[in-house]
Amino acid sequence: VTEKIQIAKDPASAVQTALTLGNYSGIAVLVDTHTRAHCYPLIKNDLPVHNVIEVPAGEEYKTLETCTKIWKELTAHGFDRDAVLIVLGGGVLGDMGGFCASTYKRGIAFILMPTTLLAQVDASIGGKLGVDFEHYKNHIGLFNEPVATLMVTSFLKTLPAREIKSGFAEIIKHCLSSDLKMWNAIRQKKVEEQDWEALIPHSIAFKSRIVSEDPKESGVRKILNLGHTIGHAIESHFLKAGQPLTHGEAIVIGLIAEAHISFQKKTLGKINLDQITGYLISEYGKCELPQSNELLPLMQQDKKNRGKEIRMALIDGVGRAVWDVKISENEIVNAISYYQSL
Ligand SMILES: NC(=O)c1ccc[n+]([C@@H]2O[C@H](COP(=O)([O-])OP(=O)(O)OC[C@H]3O[C@@H](n4cnc5c(N)ncnc54)[C@H](O)[C@@H]3O)[C@@H](O)[C@H]2O)c1
Ligand SMILES: [Zn+2]
C-alpha cells in the first residue's frame, strides 16, 4: 500500500489527514443522497468551512449532465485552482467527482474518501476517472491521481447487503487472478461470513501493486479487467433496459462467462470451472440474460479491444491471469449459452 492510500481508523482521523495535505483555498465535499445521509454527518463537524455538492445516487446519474451540475456549483461557489474536492461516496462518485475535479479549471486537487466496499477495494485505486456516455460504461474520462485516498472501514456499517456483495465480486476477481490460497479460503464461506479486515487490505495491496507496475494499462494492469469485458456489456444492457444491476452483480456474470471461455481455451480445468460457477451462483443467484447478439455490439465498444477484435483477460489456472487474449464471437456465444444453461 502506497503512502497515498491509507486506511484511517475513523472518519475524524481521515479528515485530519486530508487537511494536512495542502493549503487549500476552499473545500467542496461531493456527496450523493445516501452518503449525505449516512457518511457526511460523520465528518461534518471536523471539517472547516466548506460547501456540500449533492447529486442523486446511482449509476444512472454517472453522466455528463451530472458533471455539468457539479461544475456549475463549483463555479457558483467561486472555487479557484487551489481548491480541493473531497469525494465522499462509492465508485460512481469517485469516478465522476475525480473527473470533474481533474477538468475544472484544467484541474484542481481531489481527495477520495470511498464509502462502499467496491470503492475501497477497487474503484478508488488506480486513477481511472470518468462517466458513462450513451449507455457505454466509462466512455469519457481520463487517468489522474487523487492527492490521497483515505479509507474508513466504519463507513461500511450503513452499506446495504446488496452493495457489500457488489464489492465482494471485485475481491473474488482479485483472488481468482492472483491468489489461489485466498480463493480457497473465501469459497468456503458465505458473503456474510467473510473476514473483511483481512480481505480489504489484501485487495488494496494487490490492486495497488498491479497499478504501480502499469499505471496506464498497457500490459499487466489488463488482468484487472477479468470478468469485465462481458460484465460491462451486461451492465450496459441492464442499465439501458432501466433495470440496473450493481456493478458487482454484472461482474459476477462476466466472471462465470469468462471462466467458461478460459475453459474453452483449455487454461482452466472443468473442476475449477464448476467450483467458480457453483460458488458464484450460490451466492449471487442467476439472472435472465438477453441473447448474445444483443451483447456482442456492446463488447465491440470495449476499451480493451484493438480495433474490431475482442480481447480479454482470462484465467490461466486459478490464481493467475493472462491478458490481451483474442476471443472469437463463437466463444462468447458459447459462454453466454453456458450461463443460460445453468
Ligand atoms: N475507477 C475504477 O477503477 C473503477 C473500478 C471498479 C468500479 N468502478 C466504478 O464504480 C462504480 C460502482 O461503484 P459502487 O458500487 O461503489 O456504486 P455507488 O457509488 O453507486 O454506490 C452504491 C450505492 O451505495 C450508496 N452508498 C455509498 N456509500 C454508502 C454508505 N456508506 N452507506 C449507505 N449507502 C451508501 C450509494 O449512494 C449508492 O446508492 C461503477 O460506476 C464502476 O464503473 C470504477
Ligand atoms: Zn469492476
Side-chain angles (χ1 to χ4, degrees), residues 32-35 38-39 57-59 62 89-95 114-119 122-129 132 137-138 154-160 163 166-167 170 173 207 221 228 232 235 246-248:
D32 68 24
T33 334
H34 302 137
T35 62
H38 298 295
C39 307
E59 183 77 27
K62 190 181 174 184
V92 166
L93 277 201
D95 286 11
T115 62
T116 64
L117 180 60
L118 187 133
D122 190 354
S124 68
I125 307 161
K128 281 191 186 177
L129 308 172
D132 303 335
K137 286 272 306 162
N138 306 325
S154 60
F155 282 144
L156 304 181
K157 283 184 195 155
T158 56
L159 197 62
E163 298 300 338
S166 180
E170 303 285 9
K173 175 196 77 177
K207 181 158 182 187
R221 184 169 178 175
H228 282 62
H232 273 160
E235 192 176 7
T246 64
H247 180 69

Side-chain angles (χ1 to χ4, degrees), residues 221-255:
R221 184 169 178 175
K222 294 181 185 174
I223 67 173
L224 298 173
N225 295 317
L226 185 69
H228 282 62
T229 304
I230 295 180
H232 273 160
I234 287 163
E235 192 176 7
S236 296
H237 169 83
F238 284 98
L239 187 61
K240 212 157 142 183
Q243 318 162 292
L245 298 178
T246 64
H247 180 69
E249 285 163 349
I251 293 320
V252 160
I253 301 169
L255 285 172

Side-chain angles (χ1 to χ4, degrees), residues 32-294:
D32 68 24
T33 334
H34 302 137
T35 62
R36 179 164 204 155
H38 298 295
C39 307
Y40 177 64
L42 306 178
I43 62 166
K44 183 181 170 182
N45 296 329
D46 294 302
L47 281 170
V49 182
H50 59 276
N51 291 101
V52 176
I53 302 178
E54 182 180 327
V55 298
E59 183 77 27
E60 309 90 286
Y61 296 98
K62 190 181 174 184
T63 59
L64 285 173
E65 288 75 52
T66 311
C67 292
T68 301
K69 177 186 151 74
I70 296 168
W71 288 318
K72 275 189 178 162
E73 291 204 25
L74 290 170
T75 308
H77 294 305
F79 285 106
D80 64 22
R81 284 280 288 274
D82 297 317
V84 65
L85 180 70
I86 297 180
V87 183
L88 187 65
V92 166
L93 277 201
D95 286 11
M96 180 163 58
F99 174 69
C100 287
S102 305
T103 46
Y104 177 73
K105 299 195 175 175
R106 296 203 187 88
I108 61 169
F110 66 102
I111 294 170
L112 296 178
M113 285 198 195
T115 62
T116 64
L117 180 60
L118 187 133
Q120 295 193 353
V121 299
D122 190 354
S124 68
I125 307 161
K128 281 191 186 177
L129 308 172
V131 293
D132 303 335
F133 185 67
E134 317 225 293
H135 303 291
Y136 293 118
K137 286 272 306 162
N138 306 325
H139 202 64
I140 306 294
L142 46 78
F143 283 95
N144 193 24
E145 285 291 337
V147 174
T149 302
L150 307 172
M151 321 273 184
V152 181
T153 47
S154 60
F155 282 144
L156 304 181
K157 283 184 195 155
T158 56
L159 197 62
R162 191 178 174 198
E163 298 300 338
I164 293 283
K165 269 183 147 173
S166 180
F168 184 48
E170 303 285 9
I171 294 178
I172 294 170
K173 175 196 77 177
H174 289 160
C175 294
L176 286 176
S177 48
S178 77
D179 194 336
L180 172 62
K181 255 188 162 164
M182 203 60 134
W183 160 248
N184 281 331
I186 59 178
R187 71 183 177 80
Q188 317 287 343
K189 297 188 208 158
K190 303 189 67 55
V191 181
E192 307 81 50
E193 304 159 358
Q194 298 295 331
D195 177 7
W196 305 120
E197 298 300 316
L199 290 174
I200 295 172
H202 175 268
S203 267
I204 295 172
F206 169 63
K207 181 158 182 187
S208 20
R209 178 169 62 80
I210 296 294
V211 165
S212 66
E213 276 174 41
D214 176 21
K216 287 283 161 69
E217 197 169 299
S218 45
V220 69
R221 184 169 178 175
K222 294 181 185 174
I223 67 173
L224 298 173
N225 295 317
L226 185 69
H228 282 62
T229 304
I230 295 180
H232 273 160
I234 287 163
E235 192 176 7
S236 296
H237 169 83
F238 284 98
L239 187 61
K240 212 157 142 183
Q243 318 162 292
L245 298 178
T246 64
H247 180 69
E249 285 163 349
I251 293 320
V252 160
I253 301 169
L255 285 172
I256 294 174
E258 296 183 16
H260 189 265
I261 296 178
S262 311
F263 168 71
Q264 293 179 61
K265 300 271 195 200
K266 302 196 165 49
T267 61
L268 185 70
K270 181 74 168 60
I271 293 171
N272 288 318
L273 172 68
D274 289 346
Q275 238 168 31
I276 294 168
T277 302
Y279 182 70
L280 292 178
I281 295 287
S282 78
E283 290 304 303
Y284 289 84
K286 216 193 123 181
C287 146
E288 274 314 307
L289 290 194
Q291 296 302 309
S292 326
N293 58 10
E294 287 185 48

